[in-house]
């Protein structure tokens, strides 16, 4: 390949730098505003790019009460349990649909794809959750979105790309289908599993609409608490009229809740980054 000219490399570097600045600036503003004092927020019109005297007063205030703390634990629990259950169910269904000559495989696959093209509406889903007795139950945040058709198709395509000779060799050793899944398929599917788990985790963590329909406000996850607070501007935490609660401005509280709701899921990406591109491309190309 021809070596790029210096002016081309410089233009690419400048464009990349501009994009990085545009992407990182909102994050820096959110973090800086959450650490700023009320006087700095007022003097800067509600936003701070670099606080002169950083303070954790806003974070102490939101965690001094039970609203954000409880909502955080709800989000963590729903994300962990929901992701584990979704990955397990998706893996088993995708493996069954990926194997040739499975009884009822094609009709089931067509039914699954039909739900992808024609998803159920809000009213039928609500009536189903209500009839199952799951209103104000944490299972209502998991069961309706237990299996994603997109993730199912990605895993099915990845399983189909595994050489058939491995399955035949395992059968010659007297291994059953479940043992083949655990000992042969899953060890070869770490990249795809990591991507699917990440998709599920992000979906559960960012979900708020289901909570607004199925749950009472004392069982809300963090994203619904964040949405309600940002829209209504209501104070969170215990307000004692003194100390940190009296010092915090509404903008700092909003940005602090936003940071708490965003940072945990961002910390997952570095551990799965090496699997992300490989898993998505491998599963998508085959399917």
């Amino acid at each position: 390949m021809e070596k790029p000219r210096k002016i081309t490399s410089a233009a690419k570097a400048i464009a990349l730098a501009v994009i990085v600045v545009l992407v990182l600036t909102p994050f820096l503003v959110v973090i800086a505003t959450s650490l700023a004092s009320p006087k700095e927020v007022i003097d800067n019109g509600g936003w701070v790019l670099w606080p002169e005297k950083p303070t954790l007063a806003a974070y102490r205030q939101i965690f001094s009460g039970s609203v954000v703390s409880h909502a955080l634990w709800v989000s963590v629990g729903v994300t962990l349990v929901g992701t584990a259950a979704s990955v397990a169910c998706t893996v088993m269904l995708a493996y069954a649909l990926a194997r040739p000559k499975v009884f009822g495989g094609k009709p089931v696959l067509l039914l699954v794809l039909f739900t992808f093209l024609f998803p159920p509406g809000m009213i039928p889903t609500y009536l189903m959750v209500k009839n199952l007795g799951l209103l104000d139950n944490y299972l209502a945040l998991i069961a309706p979105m237990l299996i994603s058709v997109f993730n199912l198709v990605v895993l099915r395509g990845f399983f189909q790309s595994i050489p058939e000779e491995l399955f035949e060799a395992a059968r010659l050793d007297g291994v059953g289908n479940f043992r083949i899944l655990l000992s042969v398929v899953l060890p070869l599917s770490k990249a795809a599993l990591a991507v699917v788990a990440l998709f599920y985790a992000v979906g559960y963590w960012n979900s708020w609409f289901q909570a607004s329909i199925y749950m009472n406000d004392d069982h809300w996850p963090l994203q619904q608490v964040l949405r309600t607070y940002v829209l209504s501007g209501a104070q969170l935490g215990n307000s004692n009229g003194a100390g940190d609660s009296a010092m915090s401005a509404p903008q700092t509280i909003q940005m602090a809740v936003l940071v708490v709701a965003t940072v945990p899921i961002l910390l997952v990406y570095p551990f799965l980054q090496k699997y992300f591109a490989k898993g998505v491309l491998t599963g998508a190309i085959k399917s």
Side-chain angles (χ1 to χ4, degrees), residues 20-277:
V20 170
V21 171
L22 293 176
V23 171
L24 292 182
T25 298
F27 289 97
L28 294 177
V29 170
V30 169
I31 296 175
T33 304
S34 69
L35 298 174
S37 63
K39 185 177 183 302
E40 288 182 281
V41 173
I42 296 174
D43 293 341
N44 290 274
W47 303 99
V48 178
L49 185 59
W50 189 265
E52 297 180 0
K53 296 180 180 180
T55 175
L56 297 176
Y59 294 94
R60 285 193 290 266
Q61 179 175 342
I62 63 175
F63 284 113
S64 64
S66 60
V67 177
V68 175
S69 301
H70 181 265
L72 179 60
W73 284 113
V74 170
S75 292
V76 171
V78 169
T79 301
L80 293 179
V81 175
T83 301
S86 294
V87 170
C89 294
T90 305
V91 165
M92 289 187 289
L93 183 56
Y95 177 70
L97 295 178
R99 305 310 305 142
K101 299 180 180 180
V102 173
F103 177 76
K106 289 186 178 181
V108 172
L109 180 60
L110 291 177
L111 289 175
V112 171
L113 295 178
F114 181 83
T115 62
F116 183 71
L117 298 175
F118 303 97
M122 181 177 64
I123 295 178
T125 304
Y126 177 83
L127 293 177
M128 182 190 67
V129 173
K130 181 180 178 181
N131 292 333
L132 291 175
L134 297 180
L135 291 180
D136 203 26
N137 190 311
Y138 292 127
L139 287 177
L141 304 179
I142 299 175
M145 50 189 298
L146 186 62
I147 295 180
S148 168
V149 179
F150 174 79
N151 294 334
L152 176 66
V153 172
V154 170
L155 272 186
R156 177 177 176 271
F158 192 93
F159 292 162
Q160 287 179 326
S161 67
I162 298 177
E164 185 64 27
E165 290 77 9
L166 294 177
F167 297 96
E168 295 177 357
R171 293 192 189 95
L172 290 177
D173 292 336
V175 178
N177 286 324
F178 189 72
R179 183 64 182 276
I180 292 176
L181 175 62
L182 294 179
S183 302
V184 178
V185 176
L186 293 185
L188 296 175
S189 308
K190 292 181 180 179
L193 292 176
V195 172
V196 169
L198 180 61
F199 286 163
Y200 276 125
V202 173
Y204 281 116
W205 181 265
N206 291 332
S207 178
W208 61 268
F209 185 70
Q210 287 81 1
S212 65
I213 299 177
Y214 307 133
M215 311 295 290
N216 293 327
D217 54 2
D218 55 343
H219 292 156
W220 277 351
L222 186 59
Q223 300 298 337
Q224 176 62 13
V225 171
L226 170 63
R227 177 182 180 274
T228 302
Y229 175 70
V230 171
L231 292 179
S232 65
Q235 286 290 333
L236 294 177
N238 294 329
S239 179
N240 301 320
D244 294 337
S245 298
M247 294 171 57
S248 299
Q251 292 87 346
T252 61
I253 298 296
Q254 290 178 350
M255 296 305 104
V257 177
L258 182 58
V259 170
V260 173
T262 304
V263 169
I265 199 65
L266 289 179
L267 297 178
V268 179
Y269 279 93
F271 298 99
L272 301 179
Q273 183 179 5
K274 61 181 180 180
Y275 300 110
F276 192 80

